[in-house]
Amino acid sequence: GSAGAHGALKVEAPSPRSPPDSAPSPQTRLAELLNAARRLVDQEQFRKAEKRLNELLELEPGCVDALFVRSTVRHKLSKLSLAIIDCSTVVHHVPRHAKACLRIVRLSRTSGYFATAGEAIAHINHWFSDRGDEASLSVIEQAKAEFELLERVRELYRALKRALASGPGSSSC
């Protein structure tokens, strides 16, 4: 079954009339997997958490909550490209998912995926600039700060390339 709007999970209490040996509903199973994964993250057992989240996402591929938690886990496991992909999938389902948008920018910048970081900043400007609420303005401000960092990193990268090109090993004798 579907996990509801945008893949958000609703935790179901067992029906008081159901027999104790009845199998949990698919929705309950998904919620149990997500809660187990979150506990494993809290315990810093990231590999086990990733396994639980993979199980959940096999059952419900569009579960935004699981994708976002898995992006956290993958970031902790230094699987930065996969963390970015998870966040991109979240943003595909929920374009105004501020945390996922900002995580894409940060991970892309630190991974050297400057074009991806720039695209994520443009996405933030598009989806959040028309809203006047405090949360949206905060996201815009964070994106601006990330953009400034991105520009500094890009400039340092260009300077390093120039220095390497003109360094002692650059002559061909």
Side-chain angles (χ1 to χ4, degrees):
S2 173
H6 305 303
L9 289 177
K10 293 182 180 127
V11 178
E12 293 178 356
S15 168
R17 286 178 249 133
S18 64
D21 61 344
S22 67
S25 72
Q27 198 67 16
T28 300
R29 177 70 182 134
L30 294 174
E32 288 170 354
L33 285 168
L34 184 59
N35 290 334
R38 285 182 170 144
R39 283 190 302 276
L40 290 166
V41 170
D42 290 343
Q43 297 165 5
E44 298 186 8
Q45 296 183 35
F46 302 118
R47 289 192 203 310
K48 288 181 181 178
E50 185 180 31
K51 185 177 179 195
R52 293 290 172 276
L53 292 161
N54 289 342
E55 290 174 30
L56 190 158
L57 289 162
E58 282 180 27
L59 299 170
E60 191 66 45
C63 180
V64 169
D65 294 338
L67 285 162
F68 189 72
V69 174
R70 189 172 72 175
S71 78
T72 301
V73 167
R74 287 177 162 178
H75 176 215
K76 296 291 187 180
L77 293 172
S78 298
K79 297 178 178 181
L80 302 183
S81 296
L82 293 174
I84 292 166
I85 291 168
D86 283 345
C87 283
S88 297
T89 306
V90 168
V91 171
H92 173 76
H93 290 292
V94 184
R96 292 183 197 256
H97 195 294
K99 289 181 179 180
C101 290
L102 289 168
R103 184 171 289 165
I104 292 169
V105 174
R106 290 181 183 122
L107 293 178
S108 298
R109 176 179 45 79
T110 58
S111 300
Y113 302 129
F114 303 137
T116 303
E119 290 167 9
I121 290 169
H123 175 92
I124 289 169
N125 286 329
H126 173 78
W127 284 97
F128 292 90
S129 63
D130 63 338
R131 306 180 86 166
D133 62 286
E134 196 171 318
S136 293
L137 294 174
S138 172
V139 172
I140 292 289
E141 286 305 311
Q142 290 176 65
K144 284 180 184 174
E146 286 293 333
F147 180 75
E148 290 170 9
L149 277 172
L150 177 63
E151 287 303 305
R152 280 190 242 145
V153 169
R154 280 180 173 161
E155 183 50 43
L156 288 170
Y157 181 74
R158 286 190 291 263
L160 179 62
K161 281 180 74 173
R162 286 191 302 268
L164 290 173
S166 64
S170 64
S171 63
S172 55
C173 295

